[in-house]
Amino acid sequence: MEELPQSVLFCCDHNSVRSPMAEGIMKKFYGTGTYVQSAGVKNDMEIDGFSIAVCQEIDVELSRHRSRSFDEMERWGDDLSSFDLVVALSPASQRRALELTRFFHLDVEYWPIMDPTGLGETREAKLDVYRQTRDQIIQHLKNRWGEPTERT
């Protein structure tokens, strides 16, 4: 297990499902000592309602999340070079993050987290798939940084 970095950027395809979940859960588990943000390769979707629902089950609030892309982050002055660690949760975001490492020294890790969108026929089946994605993220966080330091 490693010490928590000063800053982490989670990224996925649209910043609407996996990366906001990872951002919210990490903040909940490890507190505000680490600056945590998330971004997508594209920003063409709002936060996903099923993501909000399954994170609410573990007391993580995502409904105020605003999706954003790498490009928007840079435009809004979030300096990508200031992140200690970029965690890519999808192959496309891993490629984009690795492109950025040509310009900045960034540590990029890839966590293969399942994309739950479009899976499951009924609302309950969809929620189950989103819970699996949430639980994969939780397992990766714990494997990397240990049990939550905040009361959960």
Side-chain angles (χ1 to χ4, degrees):
M1 253 156 340
E2 300 191 30
E3 262 187 46
L4 287 164
Q6 297 262 295
S7 54
V8 178
L9 176 67
F10 290 102
C11 55
C12 64
D13 296 347
H14 304 280
N15 193 218
S16 64
V17 178
R18 290 170 287 181
S19 55
M21 287 169 92
E23 176 188 349
I25 295 167
M26 180 156 185
K27 285 176 177 172
K28 166 88 173 152
F29 277 16
Y30 304 108
T32 54
T34 298
Y35 178 67
V36 185
Q37 286 295 317
S38 63
V41 175
K42 300 190 282 276
N43 167 24
D44 52 0
M45 299 164 92
E46 281 305 307
I47 181 81
D48 185 289
F50 288 108
S51 295
I52 293 171
V54 300
C55 282
Q56 225 148 22
E57 295 173 350
I58 60 166
D59 206 23
V60 170
E61 174 55 56
L62 291 186
S63 63
R64 289 190 298 276
H65 177 80
R66 294 290 159 257
S67 299
R68 62 201 194 140
S69 66
F70 282 107
D71 296 338
E72 286 169 325
M73 279 189 74
E74 289 186 280
R75 275 204 304 275
W76 297 339
D78 231 330
D79 185 359
L80 293 169
S81 65
S82 67
F83 286 97
D84 297 326
L85 176 64
V86 178
V87 178
L89 307 175
S90 70
S93 65
Q94 181 188 26
R95 282 193 298 277
R96 182 66 203 271
L98 289 171
E99 279 170 26
L100 294 169
T101 62
R102 294 199 321 243
F103 310 107
F104 311 121
H105 172 72
L106 290 173
D107 284 333
V108 178
E109 275 183 25
Y110 175 57
W111 295 359
I113 302 294
M114 175 181 73
D115 180 359
T117 55
L119 300 175
E121 295 296 312
T122 63
R123 177 174 170 74
E124 207 40 59
K126 287 181 187 301
L127 285 169
D128 280 341
V129 178
Y130 276 76
R131 285 183 192 111
Q132 288 172 37
T133 294
R134 176 197 68 199
D135 295 345
Q136 281 182 0
I137 291 167
I138 289 171
Q139 201 50 60
H140 276 278
L141 287 168
K142 287 180 176 179
N143 290 347
R144 185 76 161 74
W145 293 299
E147 287 300 311
T149 55
E150 301 296 300
R151 288 200 323 261
T152 50

